[in-house]
Amino acid sequence: MPADVIPLPRKDNAPASLEPMLGLTAQGMNAVNSVILARMQSDIPLIPALAGHLISGGGKRLRPMLTLAGAELVGYNGTRHHKLATAVEFIHTATLLHDDVVDGSDLRRGKAAANIIFGNPASILVGDFLFSRAFELMVEDGSLKVLKILSGASAIIAEGEVDQLTAQRKIDTSEEHYLQIIRAKTAALFAAAARVAAVVAECSDEQEQALDEYGRNLGVAFQLVDDAIDYDSDAAAMGKDRGDDFREGKMTLPVILAYARGSEEERAFWKAAIAGHRTSDADLDHAIALIGSHNAVADTRARARHFAQRAIDALSIFPDGKARQAMVQAAEFSVSRGY
Amino acid sequence: MPADVIPLPRKDNAPASLEPMLGLTAQGMNAVNSVILARMQSDIPLIPALAGHLISGGGKRLRPMLTLAGAELVGYNGTRHHKLATAVEFIHTATLLHDDVVDGSDLRRGKAAANIIFGNPASILVGDFLFSRAFELMVEDGSLKVLKILSGASAIIAEGEVDQLTAQRKIDTSEEHYLQIIRAKTAALFAAAARVAAVVAECSDEQEQALDEYGRNLGVAFQLVDDAIDYDSDAAAMGKDRGDDFREGKMTLPVILAYARGSEEERAFWKAAIAGHRTSDADLDHAIALIGSHNAVADTRARARHFAQRAIDALSIFPDGKARQAMVQAAEFSVSRGY
C-alpha cells in the first residue's frame, strides 16, 4: 500500500480485506445464488443465456451481499431477504446491460460484454426482463415499504444515468454535479440494498436510517475509487477497457480535479479530449500523466476515504461484533481496491 | 368498407367508431393526462423533453383508456385508476422507446422517432426512467394485487420482446409461435390495463376475469391488424415507415400465411427476403403482391375479427349500457382500422 494511503482506524493493523464480509455472507449468498439462477430462467432460451453470461461472469455481487450483511448485523433470522437481494442484483444487472449498450463497451469484468456477443437489441430487452423480474420478486415479498424503497431507488438510478449522459463531454461539470450523479446512479442502490435488511427485520427507524447511510456512503466511495482506477497508472487490470471513461468523455473526479488545477495549456488539452478530439493511446498516456502531476487520483481516493469513513461511522449505533467488523473492513477495502 | 369485411353484430349498422369510447373516457383521460404530465417531470431536463416528444406525439392512449372504460363499465367512482392508467401508459411508452432502438426505427406515429432526435442512449435510459416511474405510481396506489398484475404483465412483455427478437429472420416461425409473441408483447398489457379497473372497484373474480379477457383478445386483434396494415396496399398511411416489418425480417401473420400458401419459387423469395437479402422497394412491392394474391392481409384481418368477437363476448356478463356499447364498438373499430 503506498505511503499516502491512510488506513482507517481498525483494531488490528492488517490490510483491509473483503474476506470477513465474504465469510459472513457465504451461506446466505449460496441461497441468493440459487434464487438468482432459478429466477433468471425463462422459456425463451436467449434470456438465461444472456443473463447468465453476465451474472456468472465473475461479479462480486456486492449489492446483494450488503443486504445479507445488514441482516446479520441486525440479527434477522428469516429468509425474505434472499428474494430481495436477488431483486437488487437483477436491478444492478439490468443497469449494467443497458450501460454497456449506452457506452458501446467491449469489455465487462474482463470478458466480452454481452452486447458484443448477443447484440445491442438482446442486451436492451433482457435488461428490461431482469428489471421486470426484480419487481415481481419484490411484489412476491409483499412489503409495500420495501417496494417503495426499491422502486424509488430504481427511478433515482435511471435519473442518474440520464444525468450522466447529459454531463458527458461537458468540461464544465462541477464536483458537486459529479457527486450528484454518482449518488444517484450508484449509491442509491447500495443504500436501498442495505436498508431493506432493516425493514425485513422490523428494526427501528434509526437503525434503518443507519444502514441506509452505510450503504449510501459506501456506494459513493466505491464509485469514486472505480473512477480513480480508470486513470491510475499503478492500478491492477480492472477488467474493463482501460481509458474507457476518457474516450467516452465522462467527467469523473480525476478529470474534474486535473482540469481545475491545470495550466491554460493543460485545460486546452482537456477541453479537446473531453470533446472527443484526443482519443489516441498517447493522448490517454498524457491524460494519466497530467492527472498524476496534480495528485488527482490520490485526491479522488482521499475523497473516497471520507465517504468510507462516514459509512463506518454510521454503523456506530450497532453493537460491535463479527457483522459490524466485516462491514467496516468492506468499507476500508472499497477504498484500497486497485493498489 | 370492402365487401369481405363482416361487421360484428351491433344494434345499429353504422360503421364502428372509437368515438363512443373517446366520449366515455374524455373526462377521465383529462385527469390521466394531468398525471402523465406531472409524473414525467424530473430535474434532469432531457427526461421530460424526450418523454414529452413521444407522449405528446399523437398516440391514442388506448391502453389507459381501457382502464378508464373498464372502470365506467363496473361503476367505479374513485380516482385510484388515474395513477394506474398512467403507470400503464408509462410502461407502454418505455417499451416503444426501447423498441425503436431495437428496430432502428426512423419514424413513430408519423414523426421522427425519439432515438433519431435524442439518440439511442437517451431513449434507452429515459425508457428505464419511465418504467421505474410506472412502478413508483403502482406502489403509491398500494394494492399488492394490482402490483402483481402489472409487474407480471411487464415481465411477460419483456419475454415477448425477446421472443420476437429470437424469431426475427426465421422463416419457419409458426402461426402459433407468432400468436404467442403477440399475446406476450401486446395483449398482456391490454389485459392488465382492463383488469386493474375491476380490481380497484373490488369486483368479483368473474368480472375481473371478463375484463382481462376483453383486454387480452382486443390486444391480439389490435396487433394482428397492425401487422396486416404493414402489407396492406389499400391501407391509409400508418405513421410508421411502410415496409418496416418486411425489411426487419419480422415474421408476422401476413408473411407466415403467404409463405405457407406460396409456390416453391415464392417460398424461395420469402426465404431470401426474411433473411435480409431482398430489401429494395421493388422487393417490398413484390412481397405485397404475393401477400395480396394469397389473401393473406384479408385473412389476417379475419383472424383479428375472431379475437375481437371473443373480446366482445367476454363483456356479455356486464349489463348493457353506454360503457359496454363503447367497448364493443372499440373492439369492432380495432379490426376495421386502416380501411
Side-chain angles (χ1 to χ4, degrees), chain B residues 25 50 196 223 236 321:
Chain B
T25 59
L50 194 152
V196 296
Q223 189 61 57

Side-chain angles (χ1 to χ4, degrees), chain A residues 33-220:
Chain A
N33 289 336
S34 299
V35 183
I36 287 176
L37 276 174
R39 301 308 290 272
M40 72 183 204
Q41 296 310 313
S42 159
D43 291 339
I44 317 299
L46 179 57
I47 290 175
L50 194 153
H53 172 79
L54 189 54
I55 284 174
S56 55
K60 290 171 299 297
R61 303 195 184 171
L62 193 53
R63 291 157 190 80
M65 211 178 283
L66 287 181
T67 308
L68 299 191
E72 291 289 333
L73 185 69
V74 300
Y76 175 66
N77 287 317
T79 57
R80 280 175 58 196
H81 58 326
H82 296 156
K83 262 189 195 174
L84 297 175
T86 301
V88 165
E89 184 68 2
F90 279 180
I91 291 172
H92 174 56
T93 308
T95 307
L96 291 187
L97 286 173
H98 288 184
D99 274 356
D100 283 343
V101 174
V102 164
D103 293 341
S105 306
D106 297 325
L107 288 176
R108 165 71 63 185
R109 296 172 184 158
K111 299 197 336 186
N115 48 307
I116 299 300
I117 300 176
F118 300 94
N120 285 341
S123 283
I124 295 169
L125 299 177
V126 174
D128 290 348
F129 171 80
L130 288 174
F131 198 58
S132 299
R133 188 46 63 85
F135 274 94
E136 283 193 307
L137 285 159
M138 297 175 219
V139 172
E140 283 174 29
D141 173 68
S143 156
L144 280 166
K145 191 167 178 184
V146 166
L147 274 159
K148 192 165 162 24
I149 291 166
L150 285 169
S151 66
S154 287
I156 287 167
I157 293 166
E159 271 187 317
E161 296 279 349
V162 179
D163 198 10
Q164 174 174 257
L165 186 70
T166 309
Q168 212 168 346
R169 305 216 174 280
K170 295 235 173 85
I171 193 68
D172 58 347
T173 305
S174 67
E175 177 168 353
E176 187 49 43
H177 188 185
Y178 162 80
L179 281 172
Q180 195 177 308
I181 290 170
I182 71 174
R183 272 195 294 262
K185 75 163 188 166
T186 306
L189 190 57
F190 276 70
R195 180 174 208 137
V196 296
V199 177
V200 295
E202 298 177 359
C203 294
S204 67
D205 286 353
E206 189 196 11
Q207 289 173 312
E208 209 186 287
Q209 188 59 37
L211 272 174
D212 183 292
E213 280 177 28
Y214 171 78
R216 196 174 303 275
N217 284 295
L218 180 62
V220 172

